């Protein structure tokens, strides 16, 4: 069977942006920034996106396009008879860990959408939004139901084939999400007491930089948000043909993704300070802050409805890219049909997600790594360790295993003055930085 292909370069761009923009920009960015001190974290994050993220994104997509295979197959095909293909397993493993909690949180977003459809959240429920959210995530079956719902949607789209399902919807809902976020940001900074939140995000407290875990968190966030190091972008790149030029496309994806993160920060932190919600509230942060903003806005109920609809779709265009990684691998390596691969892998992730979800309820006392609950622990291993390791392997592969001319050709940088900069980044700078941050963070694991 011939491998699938994007209809056009635009199709790839939309799918890749769809993969990048999702819960990572809004939900994860806000709570990780909030827990890691705000402004100083933001600067580190921007630094990692620009210096490691975008060059690695180009590298990752180019490996897939050159090899025309999945994350494990691509290494195997380009370096036959070597152990390089083993690095692809970081990605497949990360995809299981990430999608299992991603689907749970996307389920929360769907539940909120439902609460805005019914009008229940137009005004504060008894006890306030924070208590309502706490009650929901620890409820015996409600979050499991929405997690199942989201997983079924993800499996269905991957089963139909990513390009047919997701391209069209993204064309409409990414701009919608951007417009709502800009509107919310303006509203949020105008709230009384919002200045403290603006300061929190943009006035770095440099003392935060003395904590090694902040560097690890900022690097992990850059990888997670750019869908980097797992093979999602590699797999999407493998459905591209050689004619499309990559450098501009990957820079565009990086900038777009960063815009969504920063603007989300401008929505969340001013409002959090205005409402007296701690920026360090962790994963619930956006779910307890946003409804408060909607409640105060004129026609906020409708804005909330559209917002959670757009957020759910943005999550869906990310989750399909995560599921596509193991599906593409199982289809090639074990000759499974797309149907069987998507249902089986999706089912395993669903079960893992049940464990994640219960970790916010009856199993919340279970903290496998440090004081992190089940979701936090899985996220830590996947985002802060496996993704950077996967990215490191890709950088070393293209920087050291390929000849320079091959590397430049694969990324469409032959004869381009940027070529040398990109090449020294992926050959030296990115690997050294990633290793340094790992070494710096050794020892924080158990604390
Ligand atoms: N980048 C996605 C987001 O921000 C999540 C993701 C991570 C997707 C890793 C693919 C790979 O929501």
């Amino acid at each position: 069977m011939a491998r699938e292909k994007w209809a056009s370069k635009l199709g790839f761009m939309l799918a890749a942006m769809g993969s990048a923009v999702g819960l990572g920009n809004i939900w994860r960015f806000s709570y990780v920034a909030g827990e890691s001190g705000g402004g100083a974290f933001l600067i580190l994050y921007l630094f990692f996106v620009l210096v490691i993220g975008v060059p690695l994104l180009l590298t990752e997509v180019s490996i897939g396009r050159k090899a025309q295979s999945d994350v494990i197959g691509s290494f195997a095909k380009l370096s036959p008879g070597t152990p390089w293909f083993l690095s692809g397993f970081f990605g497949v493993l990360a995809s299981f860990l990430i999608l299992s909690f991603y689907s749970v949180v996307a389920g929360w977003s769907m539940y909120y959408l439902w609460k805005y459809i019914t009008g229940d959240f137009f005004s504060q429920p008894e006890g306030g939004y924070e208590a309502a959210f706490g009650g929901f995530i620890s409820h015996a079956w409600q979050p499991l139901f929405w997690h199942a719902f989201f997983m079924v949607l993800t499996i269905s789209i991957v089963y139909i084939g990513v390009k047919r399902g997701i391209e069209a919807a993204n064309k409409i809902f990414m701009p919608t999400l951007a417009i709502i976020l800009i509107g919310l940001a303006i509203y949020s900074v105008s709230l009384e007491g919002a200045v403290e939140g603006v300061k929190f995000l943009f006035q770095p407290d440099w003392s935060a930089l003395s904590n090694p875990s902040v560097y690890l968190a900022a690097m992990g966030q850059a990888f997670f948000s750019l869908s980097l190091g797992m093979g999602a972008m590699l797999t999407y790149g493998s459905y591209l043909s050689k004619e499309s030029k990559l450098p501009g496309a990957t820079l565009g994806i990086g900038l777009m993704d960063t815009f969504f993160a920063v603007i989300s920060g401008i929505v969340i932190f001013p409002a959090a300070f205005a409402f007296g919600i701690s920026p360090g509230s962790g994963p619930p942060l956006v779910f307890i802050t946003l409804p408060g903003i909607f409640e105060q806005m004129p026609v906020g109920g409708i804005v909330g409805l559209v917002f959670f609809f757009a957020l759910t779709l943005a999550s869906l265009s990310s989750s399909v890219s995560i599921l596509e990684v193991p599906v593409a691998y199982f289809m090639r390596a074990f000759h499974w049909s797309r149907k069987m691969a998507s249902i089986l892998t999706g089912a395993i992730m669903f079960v893992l997600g049940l464990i994640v979800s219960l970790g916010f309820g009856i199993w919340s006392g279970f903290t496998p790594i440090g004081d992190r609950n089940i979701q936090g622990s899985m996220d830590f291993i996947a985002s802060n360790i496996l993704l950077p390791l996967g990215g490191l392997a890709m950088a070393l592969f293209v920087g050291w295993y390929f000849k320079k001319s091959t590397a430049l050709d694969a990324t469409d940088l032959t004869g381009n003055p940027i070529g040398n900069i990109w090449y020294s980044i992926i050959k030296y700078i990115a690997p050294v930085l990633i290793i340094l941050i790992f070494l710096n963070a050794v020892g924080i694991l158990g604390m």
Side-chain angles (χ1 to χ4, degrees):
M1 201 180 69
R3 292 188 92 245
E4 290 139 279
K5 281 245 173 291
W6 303 111
S8 60
K9 183 181 170 188
L10 181 69
F12 163 75
M13 282 291 285
L14 286 169
M17 281 183 182
S19 169
V21 176
L23 291 170
N25 307 65
I26 296 169
W27 163 72
R28 196 178 188 282
F29 173 80
S30 315
Y31 91 75
V32 176
E35 280 175 343
S36 309
F41 171 89
L42 179 65
I43 290 179
L44 277 181
Y45 164 73
L46 293 176
F47 171 81
F48 287 131
V49 166
L50 273 181
V51 176
I52 312 187
V54 172
L56 263 182
L57 192 56
L58 175 59
T59 311
E60 175 166 345
V61 176
S62 76
I63 297 176
R65 187 183 59 169
K66 187 173 170 60
Q68 301 281 304
S69 189
D70 55 86
V71 64
I72 294 171
S74 289
F75 284 102
K77 202 160 158 186
L78 298 177
S79 59
T82 69
W84 275 107
F85 72 96
L86 292 172
S87 46
F89 284 101
F90 293 133
V92 174
L93 180 60
S95 74
F96 278 90
L97 295 176
I98 291 179
L99 192 50
S100 59
F101 71 77
Y102 203 88
S103 170
V104 170
V105 179
W108 300 350
S109 164
M110 288 181 87
Y111 171 76
Y112 270 53
L113 171 59
W114 176 245
K115 284 293 192 192
Y116 279 96
I117 292 175
T118 60
D120 285 356
F121 272 7
F122 279 29
S123 57
Q124 287 221 15
E126 243 184 70
Y129 291 115
E130 196 164 345
F133 178 74
F136 163 65
I137 55 169
S138 57
H139 190 272
W141 57 265
Q142 276 185 351
L144 307 183
F145 166 79
W146 293 101
H147 159 55
F149 195 167
F150 186 80
M151 205 50 150
V152 168
L153 290 179
T154 304
I155 293 172
S156 311
I157 295 174
V158 172
Y159 167 34
I160 298 171
V162 173
K163 87 176 172 203
R164 256 187 299 166
I166 214 74
E167 284 184 39
N170 263 339
K171 240 184 260 182
I172 305 170
F173 282 99
M174 294 261 287
T176 310
L177 192 62
I179 292 169
I180 302 182
L181 280 173
I182 293 171
L184 286 179
I186 296 171
Y187 193 80
S188 181
V189 290
S190 74
L191 290 167
E192 206 180 307
V195 204
E196 285 309 308
V198 178
K199 280 192 195 151
F200 179 76
L201 189 60
F202 293 110
Q203 230 175 52
D205 166 13
W206 298 114
S207 69
L209 296 185
S210 61
N211 182 353
S213 66
V214 171
Y215 297 81
L216 192 65
M219 179 167 76
Q221 178 58 26
F223 274 84
F224 187 93
S225 192
L226 292 170
S227 304
L228 199 61
M230 196 181 89
M233 292 297 191
L234 184 154
T235 307
Y236 275 9
S238 77
Y239 304 137
L240 261 179
S241 49
K242 185 66 187 151
E243 296 92 64
S244 345
K245 294 274 167 285
L246 296 184
T250 44
L251 181 63
I253 296 164
L255 291 179
M256 176 79 145
D257 187 65
T258 309
F259 165 79
F260 272 96
V262 174
I263 199 89
S264 304
I266 304 178
V267 175
I268 300 299
F269 293 113
F273 277 86
F275 301 152
I277 297 169
S278 158
S281 299
L285 181 65
V286 298
F287 290 95
I288 56 183
T289 308
L290 283 170
I293 312 181
F294 297 134
E295 192 196 16
Q296 301 213 346
M297 284 178 104
V299 297
I302 306 294
V303 180
L305 194 157
V306 182
F307 176 86
F308 282 107
F309 187 65
L311 181 63
T312 303
L313 282 182
S315 312
L316 205 50
S317 60
S318 301
S319 64
V320 296
S321 75
I322 306 176
L323 186 56
E324 185 70 13
V325 170
V327 165
Y329 165 64
F330 288 126
M331 281 171 64
R332 177 193 56 82
F334 300 109
H335 304 288
W336 290 0
S337 65
R338 182 166 269 285
K339 183 174 174 183
M340 164 143 156
S342 45
I343 293 179
L344 228 79
T345 32
I348 297 173
M349 291 161 172
F350 169 71
V351 173
L352 285 173
L354 293 179
I355 301 171
V356 170
S357 189
L358 293 174
F360 287 98
I362 47 171
W363 290 341
S364 58
F366 181 45
T367 51
I369 299 183
D371 55 5
R372 297 173 181 84
N373 69 3
I374 299 175
Q375 180 269 332
S377 302
M378 286 167 72
D379 183 25
F380 181 83
I381 295 173
S383 313
N384 292 0
I385 298 178
L386 292 176
L387 297 186
L389 271 182
L392 176 64
M394 292 172 193
L396 295 176
F397 188 60
V398 173
W400 295 86
Y401 183 78
F402 283 9
K403 284 203 295 274
K404 184 173 179 183
S405 57
T406 315
L408 290 175
D409 177 58
T411 45
D412 304 323
L413 283 170
T414 308
N416 188 326
I418 297 171
N420 280 328
I421 305 176
W422 166 80
Y423 191 67
S424 31
I425 288 181
I426 59 132
K427 191 167 175 127
Y428 305 107
I429 299 175
V432 168
L433 275 174
I434 295 173
I435 292 169
L436 278 180
I437 289 163
F438 275 149
L439 289 179
N440 186 34
V442 169
I444 63 166
L445 251 171
M447 294 191 305

